[in-house]
């Protein structure tokens, strides 16, 4: 596909009219028909469903509703529910057709994204290899003899092959990161509970995350911004704290103080060393850390209660049929019957001890830099020795969820044989955005980085809809947003919506008291988690001037830094006004707060 599918590029061509979502989706489905559905896809969305969604979304957009993912094609791992499409979890005898989509899918489709289909996986999300599926074995997009990684195999390949802009996977032990490393794309594993897992077939329910595959960290963060949020229907969902990490300058990154294991893959070792040097070149300070607590925590995952969780998940569905389950998968899940409660509690206690041992290290580093996987393998090698080689791939991933950390995997170059290598930046819980921004800077230090196997370069300056020469772009954050009470002050001045985006870190959002209609106050305090939803409108100079003249205190116009580090004029609040205001930064935007906190004057 010649049209780049990154979100900014598609938004640009849609706005300019160069192409339409229908044309992009038609080309995607035509390509899948030529190449065949298997092994990447387990089921495809009917074209009629896609056409209906596009038509409804166009009507919503034309009515002034902001759809940040309008016309953006995406895929979903087939252990995540999509209403009306079968969920198989990679097991035909397990399949069922849900009446409701998973929370994450609901949010993405509400934002205008268009589902292409459901992707292949290691059965019941058990594996890091991509070979444990009756729907076929996915392979690396760079060499069909090599594994794609798993368990989110099809989702990673769909992005790397340029079939979708992003894809959802799941991640318990590295399933949202290893396939990214093997296919030259980004894999964002968010903090546990940040994205709801309602509607996801559990692997280890207490550890599962919905993950995001994309071509760039910017796209992954854009998707995270839509999909995240507290969900009362998910007992493991939790709201993000009000404060997140501060600026990136002078960041410190941890590096194990002992030589790492690469299982003889000297090219991977060389590329990891180069990633350390590149991080230092962009201002990072390397800090030596003891890797032993993380290594031991990784070994716990398949030795105790978290294996029993896999069996508990199947029992909850009333599906414990060894004859219907892939033999290697059953050898893992079925063995859980032998795990005693005593062994389970011993594992819980040891994990708590290891987390406590590691805590001081997180006061010395902002992120931990590790290989995403120590090496890779040919498909025939994995089929001959499925358990040991799979275990090797989880050496640098298995501990992350157990220790309540966030992570983002990014490309880090290619081996001499043409296979990609990736590294992962691991951060504390709810520091997803900061780790991702550091990872993006590292990713862009590569010489001519590309997305997957598409050959398309990373967008350096993401395209935006150009404003006419005599206009001013203005960022609005509250009552002037589309559908809000003061939006008429923009539309009556013939302003037009250019983009929906988010602020950079360092901003906090407050609900001001005593205003009708209700208004927020955006403060640049340098410590806020940022990521606040804003709309950018373009209006002519006269309209801009007259609008500014009407703005009452404590609001005013200043210069905002956006998530992509670009600058734009926008609404800011005088600092003194937040003394009696309510901090609503954790909601990620004014509309989210209004939706969860109804107000008669809103």
């Amino acid at each position: 596909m010649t049209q780049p599918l990154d979100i900014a590029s598609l938004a640009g061509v849609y706005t300019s009219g160069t192409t339409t979502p229908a044309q992009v989706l038609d080309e995607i489905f035509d390509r899948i028909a030529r190449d065949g559905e298997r092994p990447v896809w387990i089921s495809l969305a009917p074209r009629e469903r896609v056409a209906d969604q596009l038509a409804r979304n166009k009507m919503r957009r034309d009515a002034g509703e902001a759809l940040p993912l309008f016309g953006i094609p995406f895929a979903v791992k087939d252990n995540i529910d999509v209403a009306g499409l079968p969920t198989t979890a990679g097991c035909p005898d397990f399949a069922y057709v849900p009446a409701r989509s998973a929370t994450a899918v609901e949010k993405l489709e509400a934002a205008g994204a268009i589902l292409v289909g459901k992707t292949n996986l290691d059965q019941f999300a058990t594996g890091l290899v991509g070979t444990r599926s009756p729907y076929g074995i996915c392979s690396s997009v760079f060499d069909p003899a090599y594994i794609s990684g798993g368990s989110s195999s099809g989702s990673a390949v769909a992005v790397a092959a340029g079939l979708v802009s992003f894809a959802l996977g799941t991640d318990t032990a590295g399933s949202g990161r290893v396939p990214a490393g093997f296919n030259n794309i980004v894999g964002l594993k968010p903090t546990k509970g940040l994205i709801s897992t309602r509607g996801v077939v559990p692997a280890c329910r207490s550890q599962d995350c919905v993950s995001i595959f994309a071509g760039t960290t910017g796209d992954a963060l854009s998707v995270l911004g839509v999909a995240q949020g507290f969900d009362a229907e998910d007992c493991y969902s939790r709201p993000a704290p009000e404060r997140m990490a501060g600026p990136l300058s002078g960041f410190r990154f941890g590096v194990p103080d002992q030589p790492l294991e690469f299982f003889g893959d000297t090219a991977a070792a060389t590329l990891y060393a180069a990633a350390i040097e590149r991080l230092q070149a962009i201002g990072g300070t390397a800090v030596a850390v003891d890797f032993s607590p993380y290594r031991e925590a990784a070994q716990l995952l398949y030795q105790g209660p978290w294996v029993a969780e896999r069996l508990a998940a199947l029992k909850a569905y009333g599906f414990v049929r060894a004859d219907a389950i892939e033999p290697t998968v059953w050898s893992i899940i079925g063995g859980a019957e032998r795990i005693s409660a005593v062994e389970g509690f011993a594992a819980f206690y040891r994990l708590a001890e290891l987390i406590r041992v590691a805590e001081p290290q997180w006061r010395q580093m902002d992120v931990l830099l590790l290989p995403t996987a120590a090496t890779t393998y040919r498909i025939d090698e994995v089929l001959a020795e499925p358990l040991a080689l799979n275990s090797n791939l989880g050496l640098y991933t298995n501990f992350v969820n157990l220790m309540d950390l966030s992570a983002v995997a990014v490309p880090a170059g290619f081996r001499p044989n043409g296979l990609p290598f990736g590294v992962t930046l691991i951060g504390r819980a709810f520091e997803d955005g900061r780790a991702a921004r550091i990872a993006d800077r590292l990713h862009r230090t590569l010489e001519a980085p590309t997305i997957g196997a598409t050959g398309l370069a990373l967008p350096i300056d993401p395209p935006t809809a150009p404003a006419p020469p005599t206009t001013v772009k203005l960022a609005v954050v509250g009552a002037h947003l589309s559908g809000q009470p003061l939006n008429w002050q923009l539309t009556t001045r013939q302003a037009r919506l250019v983009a929906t985006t988010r602020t950079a870190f360092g901003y906090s959002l407050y609900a001001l008291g005593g205003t009708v209609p209700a208004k927020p106050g955006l403060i640049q305090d340098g410590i806020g988690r940022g990521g606040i939803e804003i709309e950018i409108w373009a209006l002519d100079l006269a309209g801009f001037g007259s609008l500014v003249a009407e703005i009452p205190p404590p609001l005013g116009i200043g210069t905002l830094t956006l998530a992509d580090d670009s600058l734009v004029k926008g609404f800011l609040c005088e600092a003194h006004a937040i003394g009696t205001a309510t901090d609503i930064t954790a909601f990620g935007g004014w509309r989210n707060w209004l939706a969860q906190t109804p107000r008669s004057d809103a």
Side-chain angles (χ1 to χ4, degrees):
M1 178 170 292
T2 56
Q3 168 61 51
L5 294 185
D6 64 276
I7 295 172
S9 293
L10 284 181
V13 296
Y14 292 163
T15 300
S16 68
T18 304
T19 191
T20 66
Q23 290 171 325
V24 170
L25 270 297
D26 281 344
E27 186 175 347
I28 289 171
F29 278 102
D30 289 347
R31 182 178 163 193
I32 294 172
R34 290 193 304 269
D35 296 343
E37 295 181 32
R38 302 286 186 267
V40 177
W41 307 92
I42 291 181
S43 63
L44 293 176
R47 291 205 184 195
E48 296 79 10
R49 181 184 191 272
V50 169
D52 288 346
Q53 284 185 314
L54 285 173
R56 288 195 300 271
N57 289 346
K58 185 176 185 303
M59 291 177 62
R60 292 166 59 200
R61 187 191 63 170
D62 291 348
E65 187 173 349
L67 300 179
L69 298 178
F70 175 74
I72 304 299
F74 76 108
V76 168
K77 184 178 181 179
D78 198 21
N79 61 343
I80 301 174
D81 286 347
V82 173
L85 296 181
T87 297
T88 72
C91 181
D93 289 344
F94 175 82
Y96 63 91
V97 178
R100 182 183 175 191
S101 295
T103 299
V105 176
E106 288 179 343
K107 288 187 171 187
L108 293 168
E109 291 192 322
I114 301 295
L115 179 80
V116 172
K118 305 194 74 180
T119 54
N120 204 354
L121 67 155
D122 282 315
Q123 193 174 79
F124 295 115
T126 302
L128 294 172
V129 287
T131 62
R132 303 170 179 174
S133 171
Y135 295 97
I137 295 175
C138 290
S139 59
S140 164
V141 291
F142 293 93
D143 189 331
Y146 280 80
I147 59 173
S148 62
S151 62
S152 308
S153 52
S155 289
V157 170
V159 172
L163 294 172
V164 290
S165 301
F166 70 91
L168 297 185
T170 59
D171 188 306
T172 305
S175 295
R177 290 163 277 157
V178 171
F182 288 172
N183 291 281
N184 192 43
I185 57 173
V186 171
L188 190 153
K189 186 223 76 72
T191 299
K192 287 187 297 184
L194 192 57
I195 298 179
S196 171
T197 56
R198 187 204 59 78
V200 177
V201 178
C204 298
R205 191 177 177 194
S206 67
Q207 304 300 321
D208 292 339
C209 299
V210 173
S211 65
I212 300 165
F213 294 100
T216 69
T217 56
D219 278 5
L221 286 174
S222 294
V223 174
L224 177 64
V226 171
Q228 70 181 5
F230 177 74
D231 182 4
E233 295 183 74
D234 172 14
C235 64
Y236 284 101
S237 179
R238 50 185 181 163
E242 295 182 356
R243 291 280 184 253
M244 297 285 279
L248 292 181
S249 58
F251 67 90
R252 304 158 301 168
F253 65 97
V255 177
D257 60 3
Q258 296 293 319
L260 295 183
E261 175 64 77
F262 289 93
F263 303 101
D265 191 339
T266 56
T270 299
L271 289 166
Y272 175 65
I276 294 173
E277 293 177 357
R278 295 202 314 277
L279 266 186
Q280 290 173 318
I282 60 174
T285 300
V287 177
V289 298
D290 177 11
F291 186 62
S292 58
Y294 307 99
R295 182 190 293 270
E296 185 177 343
Q299 294 169 346
L300 287 175
L301 187 64
Y302 284 98
Q303 295 178 358
W306 301 284
V307 176
E309 267 200 283
R310 293 180 184 270
L311 183 58
L314 290 185
K315 287 188 173 182
Y317 281 88
F319 188 85
V320 185
R321 289 180 47 195
D323 64 304
I325 298 176
E326 196 271 343
T328 302
V329 173
W330 180 249
S331 72
I332 297 168
I333 296 176
E337 293 281 14
R338 298 187 295 272
I339 299 172
S340 70
V342 172
E343 292 173 308
F345 278 106
F348 288 135
Y349 300 153
R350 184 54 184 157
L351 176 60
E353 291 168 355
L354 294 170
I355 292 172
R356 182 58 49 86
V357 169
E359 281 176 357
Q361 298 182 2
W362 289 102
R363 292 192 285 271
Q364 301 169 12
M365 62 180 176
D366 301 303
V367 292
L368 173 62
L369 176 71
L370 290 174
T372 299
T375 188
T376 187
Y377 297 108
R378 296 193 312 272
I379 291 172
D380 62 339
E381 292 176 315
V382 170
L383 294 177
E385 197 174 354
L387 292 176
L389 299 190
N390 185 93
S391 179
N392 291 348
L393 298 180
L395 178 60
Y396 302 122
T397 60
N398 284 356
F399 67 87
V400 174
N401 285 9
L402 289 176
M403 300 182 86
D404 197 18
L405 302 169
S406 59
V408 57
V410 291
F414 286 85
R415 299 170 174 87
N417 65 1
L419 292 174
F421 172 78
V423 296
T424 297
L425 285 94
I426 300 163
R428 285 164 286 200
F430 299 109
E431 294 189 359
D432 311 73
R434 185 176 193 188
R437 291 185 68 198
I438 297 172
D440 182 65
R441 292 173 62 185
L442 175 63
H443 189 184
R444 293 179 183 279
T445 62
L446 290 172
E447 184 177 352
T450 55
I451 295 174
T454 65
L456 296 171
L458 264 64
I460 298 174
D461 296 309
T464 57
T470 57
T471 65
V472 176
K473 289 182 180 179
L474 177 67
V476 300
V477 71
H480 288 88
L481 292 167
S482 299
Q484 295 301 308
L486 298 183
N487 185 249
W488 64 269
Q489 293 185 349
L490 294 169
T491 57
T492 56
R493 290 174 167 87
Q494 285 72 54
R496 60 187 183 85
L497 180 62
V498 173
T500 298
T501 183
R502 293 183 180 273
T503 68
F505 285 95
Y507 287 88
S508 296
L509 187 67
Y510 291 82
L512 304 178
T515 64
V516 179
K519 295 188 181 85
L522 184 67
I523 302 290
Q524 186 175 16
D525 54 14
I527 58 174
R529 63 180 287 230
I532 307 300
E533 180 195 20
I534 59 174
E535 288 181 354
I536 299 177
W537 289 74
L539 65 169
D540 62 35
L541 295 176
F544 175 75
S546 63
L547 177 64
V548 171
E550 296 177 1
I551 297 173
L555 302 180
I557 299 297
T559 300
L560 276 63
T561 304
L562 305 184
D564 63 359
D565 291 328
S566 61
L567 303 176
V568 67
K569 296 300 180 186
F571 279 84
L572 288 171
C573 182
E574 296 173 8
H576 69 83
I578 68 173
T580 59
T582 302
D583 189 339
I584 61 172
T585 308
F587 289 89
W590 182 241
R591 279 189 282 233
N592 286 348
W593 182 73
L594 289 178
Q596 298 184 55
T597 313
R599 296 171 61 96
S600 60
D601 60 353

